[in-house]
Amino acid sequence: MNDSMYITCLDLEGVLVPEIWIAFAKASGIPELTRTTRDEPDYKKLMNWRLGILKEHHLGLKEIQETIAKIDPMPGAKEFLDELRSFTQVIIISDTFKQFATPLMQKLGWPTIFCNTLEVADSGEITGFKIRIPDPKLNTVKALQSIGFQTIASGDSYNDLGMIKASKAGFLFKSTDQIKADNPSIPAYETYDELMAAIKQAMN
């Protein structure tokens, strides 16, 4: 296989690390914050709604980062990434934010991540967010393809479907029954061993 021509694009939350907002919802005792892109496909709408709840409860970046500091990657995620990066390029493409992702990237051995940025006031209040480009996952995959790479993609949520469908091979990983039922043509896996085998097969 010509490994150099492939880049594997992975979602972060739900694939390599637990969902940050679900962890924060538990830590803060605010159950509404458990909504994710598995529930609400429109990411901007979801984020604006979350920021409204944070403001209402006077919570800022510091409180979320305190929760993130306690989050560990999913069991086996770092080993999976290490093995994957030994034979192909890997980019994590996430709708999360640099201010959330950095401690998790340290625990995963500093893989490359393309994500968004939060706008934070001096007080620590999160006042807004900057999405890197429209539909970042799909458009990043298209951009990689435009410079001569074949992409393999995997994720768990509605916002991963674009990059999964646009790639040479794409897989759902630890997804919901609803998303799997709505997309029967996309292979779905539950373990890193299964996903690793599928990626290797796609590159052959």
Side-chain angles (χ1 to χ4, degrees), residues 10-196:
L10 299 173
D11 177 34
L12 177 65
E13 293 178 67
V15 173
L16 298 168
V17 304
E19 294 279 352
I20 291 168
W21 287 97
I22 290 177
F24 185 64
K26 286 179 185 156
S28 62
I30 306 170
E32 302 97 296
L33 287 174
T34 56
R35 277 177 77 79
T36 69
T37 46
R38 291 172 164 208
D39 311 300
E40 171 53 74
D42 184 331
Y43 189 70
K44 281 191 176 174
K45 191 170 152 187
L46 178 65
M47 268 311 296
N48 283 320
W49 182 78
R50 285 168 170 166
L51 294 188
I53 291 174
L54 292 179
K55 196 178 176 73
E56 197 183 306
H57 291 268
H58 308 290
L59 294 168
L61 181 60
K62 182 172 87 59
E63 288 82 5
I64 299 177
Q65 285 180 327
E66 283 168 1
T67 295
I68 292 169
K70 300 183 186 113
I71 295 176
D72 284 320
M74 291 178 174
K78 184 175 186 298
E79 294 76 5
F80 167 76
L81 259 188
D82 288 347
E83 186 183 338
L84 194 58
R85 290 162 73 197
S86 73
F87 64 84
T88 185
Q89 296 295 314
V90 178
I91 298 176
I92 296 170
I93 309 176
S94 173
D95 278 333
T96 194
F97 303 94
K98 191 180 74 180
Q99 294 93 329
F100 290 179
T102 303
L104 296 166
M105 292 306 100
Q106 184 175 4
K107 291 178 182 180
L108 286 169
W110 298 111
T112 299
I113 183 168
F114 292 174
C115 62
N116 301 313
T117 311
L118 289 170
E119 294 166 346
V120 185
D122 291 342
S123 65
E125 183 192 342
I126 300 169
T127 54
F129 53 96
K130 285 198 175 100
I131 303 288
R132 192 168 46 85
I133 48 171
D135 202 347
K137 297 186 180 191
L138 175 60
N139 283 319
T140 299
V141 157
K142 284 183 172 170
L144 291 168
Q145 291 165 351
S146 77
I147 54 171
F149 289 101
Q150 299 261 28
T151 59
I152 295 171
S154 185
D156 69 320
S157 292
Y158 285 106
N159 62 345
D160 298 310
L161 293 171
M163 72 170 180
I164 288 171
K165 290 174 179 173
S167 291
K168 177 177 184 281
F171 312 106
L172 287 168
F173 186 69
K174 295 184 184 291
S175 192
T176 65
D177 291 342
Q178 186 62 58
I179 293 174
K180 288 188 278 197
D182 290 345
N183 297 276
S185 63
I186 302 175
Y189 301 111
E190 297 299 320
T191 70
Y192 291 120
D193 287 347
E194 290 173 324
L195 184 58
M196 180 69 75

Side-chain angles (χ1 to χ4, degrees), residues 1-7 87-89 148-150 203:
M1 56 189 179
N2 188 351
D3 311 349
S4 61
M5 302 302 286
Y6 282 94
I7 292 187
F87 64 84
T88 185
Q89 296 295 314
F149 289 101
Q150 299 261 28
M203 290 173 61

